[in-house]
Amino acid sequence: MSIVNQSEPPRLPSKTKAELDRISNLPRHLVEQILLHLPIRDLVRTSVLSRTWRYKWATTPYLVFDKQCLNVSSQDQTLIKNKLVNIIDHVLLLHKGPIHKFKLSHRDLLGITDIDRWILYISRSSIKEFILEIWKGQQYMPPSCLFNCQNLIHLELFNCLLKPPLTFKGFKNLRSLDLQHITIIQDVFENLISSCPLLERLTLMNFTGVTHLNIDARNLQFFDVGGNFDDVSFQNTPHLALVSIGLYVNINNDENNAQDSSSKLLRFFVNLPQIQRLEVQNYFLKYLAIGNVPSRLPNPCVDLNYLSICVDFDDLGENTAALCLLRSCPNLQELEMLTRLEKRTTVERSTNFWEDDHWSSQFAHLRLDGKWELMKELLRFRRASIYAEVIYLDP
């Protein structure tokens, strides 16, 4: 007769290695998605999980080297730089397969010559997205091999000096271009934009060397610019729908009007037939007020549904330009108006310009919910900022 030990728990069947390692048994596309969302430091660490995982990380097509790839408590810049260079060199040495995205953005990285080597390496791959942000030191000039990357879809450069080789004929597949704190001469800039036939998104911030923004891009849909420039014009931009422009430096309209009486406002809108969203920031409304401002545009912006204007309510020219815009947007749904206060020796009393009776007919068909009356009161008392949202109703 056998005696059963009632104190011992029943034995459970042992699990196989396959049951314990559920991640490795996931479908390949799910494993790849997991790897794509890991920071590069954690991505490389997966090599210690098992023999199966040793080199899985080395085939990821997305390489992002940012603040998450390096965890160093030291403030020694040389030590940080050397560690970062070693990490990038190690990853590129062991990497297998194509590289579709390469991003280098670390706060402690200078424009060192090692970057030339890395760009040369990735230029031999089918790179589609390249992001380089140099946060410290002098502007970095990318090597000529960057301009050989004809598979590029997105290019983003920060604190760079651009000098393409004479043989450069444009990026034939580029759809998005983001240039910030860059130096580029006028003709090189114009050639760069016009030689990217598929360009849809263009961002320019704090640039040097370009004074006339001549934008020639047939497929452009989004344009965001902020900086110091003398002029802006659009050519062959029938699909441009979202525009945000900020002019960072004040201009002398009296001097400009004496030199040229043609309307900047008319010229600005002539090649924007499908504009849907417009943001006029900083001093750009003052630029639009140069020349003879019409009471309304000859071709109304029928698709424009959002308008944001930064205006000096004590400047008669800016008020006139703002009124022309409002009269020319019959289907406007959202309106944001921000005031910019200027120091003057004499003040033009133009605030009551917005309180005249012509507004009652201009906005007779709006559902205001009292917001327009509130806006006029704020104008009356010179408040620092104004916001009004208006909705046009069907007549």
Side-chain angles (χ1 to χ4, degrees):
M1 181 176 179
S2 60
I3 301 175
V4 179
N5 188 351
Q6 309 247 345
S7 63
E8 290 184 4
R11 293 183 178 179
L12 299 175
S14 60
K15 293 185 178 181
T16 64
K17 290 184 177 180
E19 290 175 319
L20 291 172
D21 189 5
R22 293 182 178 179
I23 295 182
S24 297
N25 292 320
L26 289 173
R28 181 178 177 179
H29 71 280
L30 291 181
V31 174
E32 291 175 350
Q33 285 298 312
I34 293 173
L35 295 176
L36 287 177
H37 288 84
L38 290 177
I40 194 72
R41 187 160 56 105
D42 296 333
L43 180 66
V44 176
R45 285 176 174 177
T46 60
S47 61
V48 302
L49 293 177
S50 68
R51 185 176 299 176
T52 305
W53 281 81
R54 188 171 184 181
Y55 293 110
K56 277 187 181 293
W57 69 269
T59 59
T60 180
Y62 295 166
L63 299 179
V64 177
F65 301 95
D66 54 17
K67 63 180 181 180
Q68 298 186 63
C69 76
L70 187 63
N71 186 15
V72 179
S73 58
S74 173
Q75 299 299 318
D76 189 337
Q77 298 298 314
T78 303
L79 175 64
I80 296 174
K81 175 250 181 183
N82 291 337
K83 280 185 173 291
L84 186 59
V85 169
N86 290 336
I87 289 174
I88 298 175
D89 282 342
H90 178 75
V91 170
L92 293 181
L93 178 64
L94 298 179
H95 190 273
K96 300 176 183 178
I99 299 175
H100 293 159
K101 176 180 179 179
F102 185 90
K103 178 179 180 179
L104 179 56
S105 176
H106 196 282
R107 293 282 180 177
D108 295 307
L109 183 65
L110 301 172
I112 53 179
T113 55
D114 299 272
I115 301 177
D116 292 357
R117 292 189 293 105
W118 302 330
I119 294 179
L120 177 61
Y121 180 88
I122 65 173
S123 68
R124 296 167 178 168
S125 184
S126 55
I127 185 72
K128 295 182 179 180
E129 185 175 350
F130 181 75
I131 302 171
L132 176 62
E133 296 176 333
I134 306 297
W135 294 98
K136 290 184 177 181
Q138 296 180 343
Q139 287 187 328
Y140 167 75
M141 186 171 74
S144 59
C145 57
L146 174 64
F147 300 94
N148 295 331
C149 301
Q150 288 301 309
N151 290 313
L152 274 177
I153 295 176
H154 175 77
L155 176 61
E156 191 171 331
L157 300 174
F158 186 95
N159 195 28
C160 290
L161 170 63
L162 296 187
K163 287 187 177 181
L166 295 176
T167 56
F168 177 63
K169 301 300 182 183
F171 294 112
K172 303 307 179 185
N173 294 294
L174 194 68
R175 297 180 181 274
S176 176
L177 179 62
D178 189 326
L179 303 175
Q180 301 191 40
H181 292 272
I182 64 150
T183 297
I184 182 172
I185 62 176
Q186 184 75 40
D187 58 339
V188 172
F189 168 76
E190 293 181 8
N191 179 65
L192 173 63
I193 302 304
S194 62
S195 59
C196 298
L198 300 182
L199 190 64
E200 297 176 352
R201 298 179 62 88
L202 176 58
T203 299
L204 298 169
M205 292 292 167
N206 298 298
F207 45 88
T208 303
V210 179
T211 57
H212 293 74
L213 296 173
N214 301 321
I215 309 301
D216 183 356
R218 179 166 183 78
N219 287 296
L220 194 64
Q221 301 174 20
F222 173 92
F223 180 53
D224 185 10
V225 60
N228 300 333
F229 51 89
D230 296 333
D231 199 15
V232 57
S233 62
F234 301 100
Q235 303 173 33
N236 194 26
T237 53
H239 306 294
L240 189 52
L242 288 83
V243 177
S244 177
I245 301 186
L247 177 60
Y248 295 165
V249 62
N250 200 350
I251 57 178
N252 188 334
N253 272 17
D254 293 335
E255 180 179 330
N256 285 304
N257 285 328
Q259 296 175 356
D260 184 7
S261 62
S262 61
S263 174
K264 296 288 187 182
L265 194 63
L266 288 177
R267 196 180 65 147
F268 179 77
F269 282 96
V270 71
N271 286 306
L272 298 176
Q274 296 188 23
I275 188 167
Q276 299 174 13
R277 183 184 179 97
L278 175 62
E279 296 179 5
V280 178
Q281 302 175 359
N282 305 96
Y283 294 98
F284 191 64
L285 186 63
K286 197 166 187 177
Y287 164 87
L288 293 178
I290 295 175
N292 298 322
V293 178
S295 60
R296 65 181 72 235
L297 297 174
N299 297 312
C301 303
V302 294
D303 294 320
L304 190 68
N305 55 59
Y306 177 89
L307 177 62
S308 175
I309 311 176
C310 182
V311 56
D312 177 3
F313 288 106
D314 287 323
D315 186 299
L316 183 59
E318 291 191 37
N319 282 273
T320 304
L323 177 57
C324 174
L325 285 178
L326 293 173
R327 284 173 172 164
S328 305
C329 304
N331 299 311
L332 193 66
Q333 295 180 359
E334 293 182 67
L335 170 64
E336 182 182 51
M337 302 188 74
L338 305 173
T339 185
R340 190 184 69 254
L341 301 179
E342 299 289 337
K343 293 182 179 179
R344 287 185 176 83
T345 55
T346 60
V347 178
E348 301 175 50
R349 302 296 296 180
S350 59
T351 301
N352 58 0
F353 178 89
W354 298 87
E355 301 171 10
D356 294 342
D357 293 337
H358 57 234
W359 286 112
S360 60
S361 59
Q362 177 68 24
F363 294 119
H365 57 304
L366 300 184
R367 186 174 66 232
L368 299 176
D369 297 329
K371 292 181 181 178
W372 181 250
E373 294 301 322
L374 173 61
M375 182 175 173
K376 290 198 295 184
E377 289 299 318
L378 290 171
L379 280 166
R380 202 172 279 122
F381 289 101
R382 307 285 208 283
R383 294 297 173 87
S385 63
I386 297 169
Y387 176 78
E389 181 177 328
V390 294
I391 301 175
Y392 277 76
L393 302 179
D394 293 331

